[in-house]
C-alpha cells in the first residue's frame, strides 16, 4: 500500500488557500475547555498544533515523518512557543507509546483515511483509546463520500491549483488524479506537480498514496467496536448536523 509522504517544502504553501483549513481549527477550539492536554496525531508541519498551543492548551504532536517535524519545530520556535507548550515527537500512530493520557486527541484533515485496512483502523483506534483520559474526547474529521464521484473508476485533473514556495523561489502547478476500487473502498490518489527550473526546463514530480473512505454508519460501528462512542456528528465547520449533502464527517467521541 502506498503511504502518503508529502513534500515538506511544499506542504504549507500547497494548502494555504484551502478554505476548510481556515475553519477546522477554530471550530475545534470552540469545543475545548481552557488549558487542556491535547494530542494531535499526524501533526505534520504544525498547521493545527501551533494555533491550538497558542490558545493556551498544552499540545503533543506526533508524526513519523522527520522532515515534516523539522518544519513544525522551526515554525514553533519562530512564533515563540516552548517545547513544554508544544512537544513534537517522531512516533507512528500504529505503534503509539506515550507515558501520558490526554483530555483531547484529534486527527484532522482526512488523516484517519490513510489506514486502509480494518486491522490498521482497529490498531489506530486502540492506541487512541489507550491514550485518552476517562472523561476525555476524541475528534476525527474526514470527508463524507461523494456518491457521484466514487461511482467513477477514475477522475483526472481534479482541483487544479498553483502555489508559490518562498524558500525555493518556485511556482508549482498541482492537479490530482484518483483511481477508485469501490469493492475494497480504496482510492489511489496521485498529486501531479509541474514547475520550471532556472533554465526553463519543465520538471514533473508525483506523490501517490492510498486512501480509504468510510460511510457514516460504518464509522459509527468502527468506533464502537473499539470502545468509542460518537457524542456529536457534524457535517461541516458551521456546526450543522450531518446529512446526505454534508461534505464532512466530524465526529466528537467519548469512551464507552
Amino acid at each position: 500500500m502506498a503511504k502518503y509522504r508529502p513534500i515538506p517544502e511544499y506542504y504549507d504553501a500547497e494548502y494555504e488557500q484551502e478554505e476548510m483549513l481556515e475553519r477546522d481549527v477554530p471550530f475545534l477550539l470552540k469545543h475545548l475547555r481552557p488549558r487542556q492536554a491535547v494530542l494531535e496525531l499526524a501533526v505534520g508541519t504544525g498547521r493545527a498544533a501551533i494555533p491550538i498551543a497558542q490558545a493556551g492548551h498544552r499540545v503533543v504532536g506526533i508524526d513519523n515523518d522527520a522532515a515534516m517535524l523539522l518544519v513544525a519545530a522551526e515554525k514553533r520556535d519562530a512564533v515563540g512557543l516552548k517545547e513544554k507548550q508544544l512537544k513534537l515527537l517522531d512516533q507512528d500512530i500504529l505503534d503509539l507509546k506515550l507515558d501520558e493520557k490526554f483530555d483531547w486527541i484529534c486527527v484532522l484533515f482526512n488523516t484517519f483515511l490513510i489506514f486502509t485496512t480494518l486491522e490498521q483502523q482497529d490498531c489506530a483506534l486502540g492506541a487512541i483509546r489507550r491514550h485518552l483520559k476517562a472523561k476525555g474526547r476524541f475528534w476525527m474529521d474526514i470527508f463524507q463520500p461523494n456518491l457521484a464521484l466514487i461511482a467513477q473508476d477514475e477522475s483526472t485533473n481534479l482541483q487544479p491549483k498553483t502555489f508559490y514556495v518562498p524558500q525555493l523561489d518556485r511556482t508549482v502547478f498541482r492537479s490530482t488524479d484518483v483511481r477508485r476500487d469501490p469493492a475494497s473502498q480504496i482510492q489511489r490518489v496521485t498529486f501531479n506537480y509541474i514547475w520550471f527550473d532556472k533554465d526553463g526546463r519543465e520538471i514533473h514530480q508525483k506523490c501517490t498514496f492510498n486512501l480509504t473512505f468510510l460511510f457514516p454508519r460504518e464509522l459509527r460501528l468502527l468506533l464502537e467496536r473499539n470502545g468509542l462512542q460518537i457524542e456529536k456528528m457534524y457535517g461541516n465547520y458551521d456546526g450543522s448536523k450531518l446529512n446526505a449533502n454534508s461534505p464532512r464527517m466530524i465526529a466528537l467521541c467519548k469512551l464507552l
Side-chain angles (χ1 to χ4, degrees):
M1 292 291 184
K3 296 181 179 180
Y4 178 47
R5 286 293 181 186
I7 301 171
E9 296 83 1
Y10 286 6
Y11 188 85
D12 287 333
E14 189 172 354
Y15 292 104
E16 187 175 22
Q17 299 176 0
E18 195 81 34
E19 182 185 358
M20 63 165 282
L21 300 187
E22 298 175 356
R23 302 174 65 192
D24 62 345
V25 174
F27 186 57
L28 168 62
L29 286 172
K30 289 179 181 179
H31 291 75
L32 271 64
R33 298 189 303 275
R35 301 181 65 83
Q36 299 284 278
V38 179
L39 172 64
E40 187 189 356
L41 306 179
V43 68
T45 64
R47 176 195 69 84
I50 288 172
I52 293 172
Q54 288 174 318
H57 305 287
R58 184 176 61 82
V59 183
V60 174
I62 69 134
D63 208 297
N64 63 354
D65 189 324
M68 295 285 276
L69 286 173
L70 181 60
V71 174
E74 291 173 349
K75 290 169 60 180
R76 175 195 62 193
D77 298 344
V79 299
L81 288 170
K82 306 299 184 183
E83 188 174 2
K84 65 180 180 180
Q85 297 169 289
L86 172 54
K87 181 184 290 187
L88 300 168
L89 299 174
D90 190 342
Q91 288 216 22
D92 192 314
I93 297 171
L94 299 181
D95 190 31
L96 187 61
K97 293 183 179 69
L98 302 176
D99 296 325
E100 182 180 358
K101 293 192 175 185
F102 296 85
D103 300 304
W104 279 77
I105 299 176
C106 56
V107 56
L108 303 171
F109 194 28
N110 304 321
T111 298
F112 187 79
L113 300 179
I114 65 174
F115 302 120
T116 56
T117 69
L118 185 57
E119 291 76 17
Q120 290 175 336
Q121 293 162 4
D122 285 344
C123 185
L125 291 171
I128 289 163
R129 186 186 65 248
R130 290 192 301 273
H131 288 83
L132 196 62
K133 290 182 179 179
K135 294 185 178 180
R137 293 295 184 269
F138 170 52
W139 183 272
M140 179 194 295
D141 179 5
I142 60 177
F143 66 79
Q144 179 171 219
N146 181 311
L147 297 179
L149 277 178
I150 64 175
Q152 303 174 28
D153 292 337
E154 185 173 9
S155 301
T156 58
N157 297 316
L158 296 173
Q159 301 173 328
K161 65 167 64 177
T162 301
F163 57 91
Y164 176 68
V165 186
Q167 62 267 44
L168 300 176
D169 190 23
R170 179 182 299 170
T171 299
V172 181
F173 174 78
R174 192 196 87 180
S175 64
T176 305
D177 300 335
V178 183
R179 295 181 61 87
R180 304 177 184 86
D181 179 5
S184 64
Q185 291 187 211
I186 299 293
Q187 300 187 114
R188 189 168 184 84
V189 181
T190 300
F191 291 160
N192 304 291
Y193 300 99
I194 301 174
W195 55 280
F196 293 88
D197 68 11
K198 62 181 180 180
D199 297 318
R201 291 174 297 190
E202 186 173 284
I203 309 298
H204 291 252
Q205 293 174 285
K206 290 183 182 291
C207 174
T208 298
F209 56 96
N210 292 330
L211 289 179
T212 190
F213 50 88
L214 299 170
F215 294 96
R217 184 165 63 176
E218 180 183 13
L219 176 60
R220 185 178 298 274
L221 291 171
L222 177 63
L223 289 164
E224 289 180 356
R225 70 180 266 140
N226 283 284
L228 294 158
Q229 180 180 16
I230 295 176
E231 193 171 34
K232 292 183 180 179
M233 178 81 93
Y234 301 108
N236 211 340
Y237 305 113
D238 57 4
S240 57
K241 291 184 178 180
L242 181 73
N243 61 47
N245 298 313
S246 298
R248 311 297 303 168
M249 294 194 297
I250 306 167
L252 172 59
C253 310
K254 62 181 181 180
L255 292 171
L256 278 170

